[in-house]
Amino acid sequence: MFKSVVQYIIRLFYIAVVYKGGFVLELFQLRYFLIVAKYENFSKAADELFISQPSVSKAIHTLETELGVSLFDRFGKRIKLNNAGKALQERLKGVMATLDNLPNELRVASGASQTTIVLNVLAATSLLSDMLSKFKKEYPLINFELIQKDRTAKCDLCISSSLPNILLENGTLVLSEELKLAVPMTSKTALSSSVNLADLQNESFIILNKNHMLRDITLHFFKLCGYTPNVAFESDSPQMIRELVSAGLGTTVWPEFTWGKINSDKAKLLDIKNPICRRNIFITWPENNIAKQEIQIFLEFAKNYFKQLIQR
């Protein structure tokens, strides 16, 4: 009963926002406006909203027509938020945040039961705490059971990685990232801005332990160069690998987005120009097992999280 009431209330909010002037603004127009205002770019807004650019442009044009004012100044294909747009942006920030959090507030107030998603994390582990922290602020009643098992393990969703030419079934690609080379500043290699992997046979490498997908992907690229790397250290932790490289104890292959910046004046990141080294990050699910609403909610949140990671 409670669930149907919440859905009805949210539907009312999404249908329209009515003003005293007698016109009606559909709520999705206001959401689109905030995204366009953030980027001052229709294409970037469309990418974040997962819709076409013409749909975004049409929504903004309709909104401006109904309000009777322009919200953006146009300069050819470029747009810039004007004073009216800035005023609307400020007014909407608090309102939209309140509406977005309304389902959670009502569920908490009703004593609604919590639910749990079983998440198998095989890649992008260094981003997990940040992503889940942001998610829990929006959806406090959705909990997680985190596991790290093989792809066949029973779970609701699995974050995994693969070589760029491999597509995973029952899944969605959320990130394609370049693999760089992290080297200590004491290494002669640090004098360069890019390297050929084939020229590093005499280097000492630090890699992830066995059963890590990134390890297998990394070894694949060494195999393409015709040699097996000299492994000085193995670790389960990207942070430990970061510290070992900074201490001058070896070189490592470094995922551009999921491991972030090297954040050390004792090490640097280099481009690998040959071979082209990349990997894909997927979120997959068991066949015919994506029906639960909370799973769909988290999946959409995660897709947006990775998209914003690239934009940052």
Side-chain angles (χ1 to χ4, degrees), residues 66-174:
E66 291 176 345
L67 289 174
V69 296
S70 294
L71 301 171
F72 297 91
D73 293 330
R74 271 83 171 173
F75 307 93
K77 293 184 178 181
R78 295 187 300 109
I79 61 172
K80 186 173 181 60
L81 200 64
N82 60 27
N83 289 337
K86 291 176 182 177
L88 180 61
Q89 183 185 44
E90 281 303 308
R91 286 295 186 95
L92 287 179
K93 284 180 179 179
V95 173
M96 302 305 278
T98 299
L99 293 181
D100 287 340
N101 199 46
L102 181 62
N104 293 318
E105 292 182 5
L106 294 177
R107 284 174 62 86
V108 171
S110 73
S113 59
Q114 301 187 15
T115 186
T116 299
I117 295 174
V118 180
L119 182 62
N120 192 13
V121 187
L122 303 179
T125 54
S126 59
L127 299 176
L128 193 63
S129 60
D130 180 63
M131 179 166 60
L132 295 184
S133 175
K134 288 180 169 61
F135 181 80
K136 288 287 286 183
K137 288 181 180 178
E138 295 188 34
Y139 303 96
L141 294 179
I142 299 179
N143 298 322
F144 293 86
E145 178 184 344
L146 304 177
I147 62 175
Q148 288 184 298
K149 300 181 180 180
D150 61 50
R151 284 176 176 162
T152 61
K154 186 177 180 180
C155 63
D156 295 311
L157 293 171
C158 177
I159 303 177
S160 61
S161 62
S162 72
L163 290 166
N165 60 336
I166 296 177
L167 296 178
L168 301 182
E169 296 180 357
N170 304 318
T172 182
L173 175 65
V174 294

Side-chain angles (χ1 to χ4, degrees), residues 103-293:
N104 293 318
E105 292 182 5
L106 294 177
R107 284 174 62 86
V108 171
S110 73
S113 59
Q114 301 187 15
T115 186
T116 299
I117 295 174
V118 180
L119 182 62
N120 192 13
V121 187
L122 303 179
T125 54
S126 59
L127 299 176
L128 193 63
S129 60
D130 180 63
M131 179 166 60
L132 295 184
S133 175
K134 288 180 169 61
F135 181 80
K136 288 287 286 183
K137 288 181 180 178
E138 295 188 34
Y139 303 96
L141 294 179
I142 299 179
N143 298 322
F144 293 86
E145 178 184 344
L146 304 177
I147 62 175
Q148 288 184 298
K149 300 181 180 180
D150 61 50
R151 284 176 176 162
T152 61
K154 186 177 180 180
C155 63
D156 295 311
L157 293 171
C158 177
I159 303 177
S160 61
S161 62
S162 72
L163 290 166
N165 60 336
I166 296 177
L167 296 178
L168 301 182
E169 296 180 357
N170 304 318
T172 182
L173 175 65
V174 294
L175 178 68
S176 179
E177 65 178 338
E178 182 181 353
L179 301 180
K180 294 181 175 289
L181 194 74
V183 300
M185 295 301 293
T186 54
S187 170
K188 292 181 180 179
T189 310
L191 298 174
S192 305
S193 60
S194 63
V195 294
N196 289 325
L197 205 59
D199 297 334
L200 304 178
Q201 296 187 40
N202 295 324
E203 290 283 337
S204 295
F205 281 90
I206 306 164
I207 64 174
L208 288 168
N209 288 341
K210 293 180 179 178
N211 301 321
H212 284 269
M213 291 180 175
L214 180 57
R215 175 194 175 105
D216 295 336
I217 292 171
T218 299
L219 291 178
H220 166 81
F221 290 115
F222 284 114
K223 187 175 181 180
L224 289 180
C225 296
Y227 71 96
T228 300
N230 172 32
V231 179
F233 296 92
E234 297 183 26
S235 173
D236 269 328
S237 166
Q239 179 59 35
M240 177 59 70
I241 292 177
R242 184 194 309 265
E243 292 175 3
L244 290 172
V245 173
S246 297
L249 296 175
T251 294
T252 193
V253 173
W254 188 279
E256 177 183 18
F257 291 117
T258 51
W259 284 19
K261 297 180 180 179
I262 193 72
N263 291 331
S264 172
D265 58 359
K266 297 181 180 179
K268 65 182 293 188
L269 295 179
L270 309 178
D271 293 329
I272 301 174
K273 61 183 180 182
N274 188 37
I276 302 299
C277 297
R278 301 188 67 85
R279 73 162 177 172
N280 288 340
I281 304 292
F282 285 87
I283 299 181
T284 60
W285 52 84
E287 188 175 359
N288 301 322
N289 192 28
I290 195 70
K292 291 183 181 180
Q293 183 183 17

